[in-house]
Amino acid sequence: MARASISDDQKALTVEDATLPVVDLSGLFTGDAADKARVAAELGDAARTSGFFYINGHGISQALIDAVFAASKAFHEKPRSYKMRYWSGFTTHHRGYVPFEENGADFPKSINFNEAWDMSYEAPADHPDHLAQWRMTGPNIWPDIPGWKATVGGYYDQAFDLGLRLLDALALELGVDPEELTRHITYPTSQLRLLRYIPNAMPATKDLVGIAAHSDFECFTILMTGAPGLQVMNADDVWIEAPPIPGCFVVNIGDIFETWSGGQFKSTQHRVVNLGTERYSVPLFFGLDYHAVVEPLEKFRTPEVIEKYPAMKAGDHLMRMSVNAFRYMADARAKGDLVPDYEVPEESPFKREAKQPDP
């Protein structure tokens, strides 16, 4: 199936009109300080301007990337009755299958045409945050597909290690001790999603989307995508297309790094338009421990920055943005099973409004 039409507000500049940076990370693996500094400077420039960029030379093999896409397809091709055995709504730490009708509390008024498998950093069942519930921390669950856990878990480990390298390089670029950032990572809420966009014959409008416009709530996202559809808001707040480049990940800065940098790095809005065709993607949202307090780093604190970016718990921010993003969480809140001790805003404080490109 393919979309019947696309509304004007879902259109974007093509890559012929505007481009995203491509950063070669191979210098992070040579052991040479000058190579590392050069890559860090390129990453910082991209984070300060577009907030969204491609990376190559990342060290993750194409064979493993292909294997995780095949694993995603193997799960998503299962009957719905099978997939619902692993429904994320059976958990309080958001693990397992997310059917498309769970995506947003406004379904069916607004539809995100995707389904997902969600996993995260493995924490023990007796971890205090797992026992406390609704803190995105705890053990993973796995479908009973031969080899699936080894493939997906192996990919997670390598993508997470890549995230640590990116974190280290960005700390260098900002001129801060990496320990100032990594001390917040012991059992992080770093989620991996295996996304499938569902074929449909519906139009592409602001209410009928692949994924609605949003920023990501963590430090940054490392995304491998298999087909067009992704659009990002550039430094001028104009939507541009971000099609896949073979062998490259797409990386976007999230809310935590915008806060840490006092707004120097941009947490970029992005969306997936409803193209009506099947599409797979695999994002890793690189986050912090639930209780990590996130505020502008000391070197960037001014009265204006402190006012704009008040301190927040990383996990509270993730949950306050997730409560209305997943219908089962919104239902649990309405029934009193999920009682937030944090404010749940109507929209993200990091939201930016799109502008029309100059004629």
Side-chain angles (χ1 to χ4, degrees):
M1 297 182 181
R3 66 165 189 254
S5 62
I6 183 168
S7 62
D8 287 342
D9 63 1
Q10 296 296 289
K11 295 177 181 177
L13 296 177
T14 67
V15 289
E16 284 74 28
D17 301 310
T19 59
L20 291 169
V22 180
V23 180
D24 182 356
L25 298 189
S26 57
L28 299 182
F29 299 88
T30 66
D32 183 85
D35 288 344
K36 181 178 177 181
R38 174 181 49 76
V39 175
E42 291 180 16
L43 290 171
D45 183 62
R48 284 185 168 86
T49 54
S50 67
F52 237 104
F53 46 92
Y54 295 94
I55 57 171
N56 58 23
H58 44 70
I60 298 180
S61 72
Q62 189 61 47
L64 181 57
I65 292 168
D66 292 343
V68 81
F69 272 95
S72 180
K73 186 176 179 64
F75 174 79
H76 285 301
E77 286 184 339
K78 294 285 189 183
R80 181 180 171 91
S81 58
Y82 173 89
K83 292 184 284 191
M84 286 301 293
R85 287 163 44 189
Y86 303 97
W87 178 44
S88 57
F90 292 140
T91 75
T92 59
H93 61 304
H94 194 68
R95 298 293 196 278
Y97 176 57
V98 183
F100 83 100
E101 69 270 19
E102 285 289 355
N103 287 302
D106 291 335
F107 181 88
K109 177 184 175 183
S110 298
I111 301 177
N112 291 264
F113 284 103
N114 72 77
E115 57 181 340
W117 177 274
D118 287 348
M119 61 163 289
S120 194
Y121 196 92
E122 184 78 24
D126 62 355
H127 190 286
D129 285 335
H130 181 57
L131 298 177
Q133 301 189 340
W134 302 111
R135 291 184 179 172
M136 297 293 200
T137 305
N140 288 305
I141 63 174
W142 303 97
D144 59 350
I145 301 173
W148 206 90
K149 177 180 178 180
T151 296
V152 177
Y155 178 86
Y156 182 97
D157 291 344
Q158 290 202 26
F160 185 82
D161 286 347
L162 175 60
L164 288 173
R165 285 190 181 269
L166 286 171
L167 188 73
D168 182 66
L170 290 169
L172 174 65
E173 202 282 334
L174 289 173
V176 299
D177 186 342
E179 170 64 19
E180 192 171 352
L181 311 183
T182 57
R183 65 188 175 89
H184 297 297
I185 301 173
T186 56
Y187 288 101
T189 59
S190 297
Q191 183 184 89
L192 182 74
R193 304 202 83 193
L194 304 184
L195 280 156
R196 173 183 177 257
Y197 293 85
I198 298 170
N200 66 90
M202 301 295 285
T205 70
K206 66 181 180 64
D207 292 321
L208 301 172
V209 297
I211 288 182
H214 64 287
S215 64
D216 287 340
F217 320 133
E218 298 84 359
C219 301
F220 46 75
T221 302
I222 302 171
L223 169 71
M224 182 59 69
T225 182
L230 176 66
Q231 297 178 353
V232 303
M233 196 182 286
N234 68 7
D236 298 319
D237 296 340
V238 173
W239 289 112
I240 66 172
E241 294 178 357
I245 297 177
C248 289
F249 289 100
V250 184
V251 176
N252 66 279
I253 298 298
D255 298 345
I256 287 175
F257 247 117
E258 179 171 328
T259 301
W260 272 342
S261 68
Q264 293 193 37
F265 290 178
K266 296 177 180 293
S267 181
T268 317
Q269 306 292 305
H270 51 289
R271 66 188 182 186
V272 176
V273 296
N274 179 35
L275 296 180
T277 53
E278 186 177 55
R279 176 182 181 272
Y280 285 86
S281 70
V282 184
L284 173 77
F285 305 100
F286 190 91
L288 307 179
D289 295 345
Y290 188 97
H291 295 283
V293 176
V294 180
E295 57 188 337
L297 299 171
E298 186 173 356
K299 67 180 297 184
F300 302 119
R301 290 176 197 163
T302 65
E304 295 78 16
V305 165
I306 292 171
E307 181 179 6
K308 184 175 181 180
Y309 299 104
M312 62 183 182
K313 280 186 183 178
D316 284 355
H317 180 57
L318 175 58
M319 278 300 301
R320 69 178 177 167
M321 295 292 98
S322 298
V323 164
N324 291 323
F326 299 105
R327 193 176 60 166
Y328 82 90
M329 289 190 188
D331 290 346
R333 184 186 180 202
K335 288 188 261 185
D337 296 332
L338 192 172
V339 182
D341 57 359
Y342 42 82
E343 178 188 2
V344 180
E346 290 188 9
E347 63 180 20
S348 171
F350 294 86
K351 181 178 179 180
R352 290 157 48 198
E353 295 296 333
K355 298 176 183 176
Q356 293 299 314
D358 292 332

